């Protein structure tokens, strides 16, 4: 639970905010609220899930990679449910290992409804992406898996049907992260699947940290493989347009994907993070094709010009420049990448000269995303960390296998503060994190965090105290545009200044956060303007919106509740 504060202490943030405004710097972030805690509520919430890597001592590459997770409103009740992706054994076994589907009970707890849901399919799962691909009002689920991906159609009432075979989607590569997007803006959600390396049990390589014992190999010893883009044809059918779209690249070893409009032309572009290969930045040419610009944009490599071990990634306008920048999780001793969008197609990595780089240097980051944990109106950074080699500390004493998450608080003007040790004992506990996502699962206004660990328990961190500031939660429903509103941008203006976010699937590592958008408002008591730009070209504007509420905006009908 959050620590109790006296009335005088509670008034200090508000008083400081008043004084800042009095001297004309209302847009600056206030000091950190040290009463915020991230509390492990997993058991209390009714979540009892342990990821199974299938490890038996043979040190197969996939055993290290873990699985993702998702916060997603699967039944349309406005409350995010939970999906947790699982592995399985590599050989004959007696026990079934399944992914988990937890329904949100609207009271801070969840019910495991996996059995009989249709999602109870055993697979060596990796990633998850969710969107309503057939525009029937029910979000559908795509799961990447080592033994072949699965597309599950939402039949309603908590039931799903595996429609992979009839859909035309056939990805049997080492799929990792995935994302839905309407890349051609035809009103139907298309699918991008990031693929890792060419691997099988028969071709598993032997590597060693100490020259004697087998260890997990890095991806350099395996051949890359191309990611896939599937175009939604309607009627539940998809076409593989990877090569036609200019996305075929057999040298890539992809672990993360971000859908974002980096050049502000209204069309979704793609950033793909690669492990020991150059990252890719694909500019949407608005004609069904993409052009790769990672090298000239400055996001392909680290500051030293070397390809890093890139994992998960996300995009956000963390400095309110009006342009989305990138955060990329990297291998230990490589630090996070914070690629600031300079405009005109150029990015500069701001991490090496900032707290972001210093705080994350020794961490191995898989899941990473922007979110406003303290609702002060500035995007913060969460990094979910954990090494791949259990014995790494024997050969690198400064690097640990289990690592606590990092939370870097945005102080505005491009500065961040490492507040990880201020968020309570639960958040400081070392874990082997992989997938990570955020949502306001308990409807108290602030954003909570879900992490899936490798061969360990999932963890639900409840944000206690973040809602001392005001907020606005916006969920969009497309009509002319795709039903999930992928690519729609919400812009708000209040005394704090201007903010914007775009609805997007995927991001982080093998995971997806809630499609609803949460804006932090500090102590602002009114949103003077809220605008929505839809992929169809529809533009909506609303005035004088009260904070601390959940809004649903329909593309045709406007605010519906």
């Amino acid at each position: 639970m959050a620590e109790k504060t006296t009335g005088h202490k509670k008034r200090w943030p508000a008083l400081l905010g008043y004084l800042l405004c009095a001297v004309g710097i209302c847009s600056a972030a206030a000091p950190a609220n040290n009463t915020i805690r991230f509390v492990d509520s997993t058991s209390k919430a009714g979540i009892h899930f342990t990821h199974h890597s299938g490890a038996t001592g043979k040190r197969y590459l996939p055993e290290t990679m873990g699985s993702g997770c998702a916060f997603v409103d699967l039944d349309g009740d406005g409350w995010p449910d939970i999906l947790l992706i699982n592995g399985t054994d590599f050989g004959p076994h007696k026990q079934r290992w399944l992914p988990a589907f937890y329904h949100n009970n609207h009271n801070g707890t969840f019910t495991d409804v996996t059995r009989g849901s249709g999602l109870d399919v055993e697979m060596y799962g990796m990633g998850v992406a969710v969107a309503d691909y057939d525009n029937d009002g029910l979000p559908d689920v795509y799961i990447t898996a080592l033994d072949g991906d699965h597309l599950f159609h939402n039949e309603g009432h908590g039931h799903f049907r595996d429609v992979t075979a009839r859909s035309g989607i056939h990805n049997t590569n080492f799929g990792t992260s995935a994302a839905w997007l309407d890349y051609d803006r035809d009103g139907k959600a298309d699918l991008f699947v990031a693929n890792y390396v060419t691997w099988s049990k028969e071709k598993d390589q032997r590597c060693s940290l100490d020259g004697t014992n087998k260890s997990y190999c890095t991806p350099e010893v395996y051949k890359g493989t191309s990611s896939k883009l599937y175009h939604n044809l309607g009627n539940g059918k998809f076409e593989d347009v990877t090569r036609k779209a200019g996305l075929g690249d057999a040298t890539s070893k992809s672990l993360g994907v971000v859908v974002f409009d980096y050049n502000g032309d209204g069309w979704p572009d793609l950033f793909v993070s690669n492990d020991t290969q150059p990252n890719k930045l694909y500019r949407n040419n608005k004609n069904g094709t993409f052009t790769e610009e990672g090298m000239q944009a400055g996001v392909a490599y680290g500051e030293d010009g070397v390809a890093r071990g890139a994992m998960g990634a996300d995009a956000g306008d963390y400095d309110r420049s009006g342009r989305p920048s990138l955060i990329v999780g990297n291998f230990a001793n490589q630090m996070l990448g914070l690629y600031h969008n300079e405009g005109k197609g150029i990015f500069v990595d701001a991490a090496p000269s900032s707290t972001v780089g210093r705080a994350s240097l020794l961490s191995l980051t898989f899941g990473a995303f922007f979110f406003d944990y303290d609702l002060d109106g500035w995007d913060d950074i969460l990094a979910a960390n954990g090494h791949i080699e259990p014995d790494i500390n024997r050969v690198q004493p400064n690097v640990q296998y289990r690592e606590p998450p990092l939370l870097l608080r945005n102080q505005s003007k491009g500065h961040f503060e490492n507040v990880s040790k201020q968020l309570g004992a639960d958040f400081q506990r070392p874990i082997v994190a992989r997938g990570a996502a955020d949502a306001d699962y308990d409807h108290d206004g602030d954003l909570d965090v879900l992490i899936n660990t490798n061969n360990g328990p999932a963890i639900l961190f409840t944000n206690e105290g973040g809602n001392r500031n005001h907020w606005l939660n916006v969920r969009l429903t497309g009509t002319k545009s795709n039903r999930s509103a992928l690519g729609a941008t919400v812009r708000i203006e209040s005394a704090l200044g201007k903010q914007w976010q775009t609805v997007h699937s995927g991001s982080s590592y093998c995971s997806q956060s809630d499609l609803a958008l949460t804006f932090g408002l500090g102590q602002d008591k009114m949103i003077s303007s809220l605008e929505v730009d839809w992929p169809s070209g529809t533009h909506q504007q609303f005035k004088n919106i009260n904070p601390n509420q959940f809004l649903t905006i329909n593309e045709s009908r406007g605010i519906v509740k």
Side-chain angles (χ1 to χ4, degrees), residues 89 200-201 263 309 440 495:
D89 292 317
S200 66
K201 288 191 298 182
N263 56 4
D440 180 10

Side-chain angles (χ1 to χ4, degrees), residues 31-32 53 61 196 299 303 312 324 340 358 376-377 389 402 407 411 467 531 552:
S53 70
L61 175 66
Y196 192 33
V299 298
E303 190 184 41
H340 180 259
R358 292 190 294 273
D376 65 351
E389 180 56 62
R402 292 177 174 81
L407 204 156
Q411 298 177 300
N467 59 3
E531 299 182 35
T552 296

Side-chain angles (χ1 to χ4, degrees), residues 308 335-339 348-358 360:
R308 295 189 280 194
M335 74 179 63
L336 287 166
L338 180 61
Y339 295 101
V348 173
D349 190 355
S353 59
S354 73
T355 299
V356 174
R358 292 190 294 273
S360 63

Side-chain angles (χ1 to χ4, degrees), residues 475-480 483 532 534 538-542 552-561:
R475 191 176 296 276
L476 301 180
T477 302
T479 52
K480 296 177 183 178
R483 189 67 175 259
V532 185
W534 297 86
T538 298
H539 176 80
Q540 295 171 317
Q541 185 171 13
F542 309 94
T552 296
I553 301 177
N554 183 283
E555 185 176 8
S556 299
R557 294 182 288 147
I559 295 175
V560 295
K561 63 176 180 179

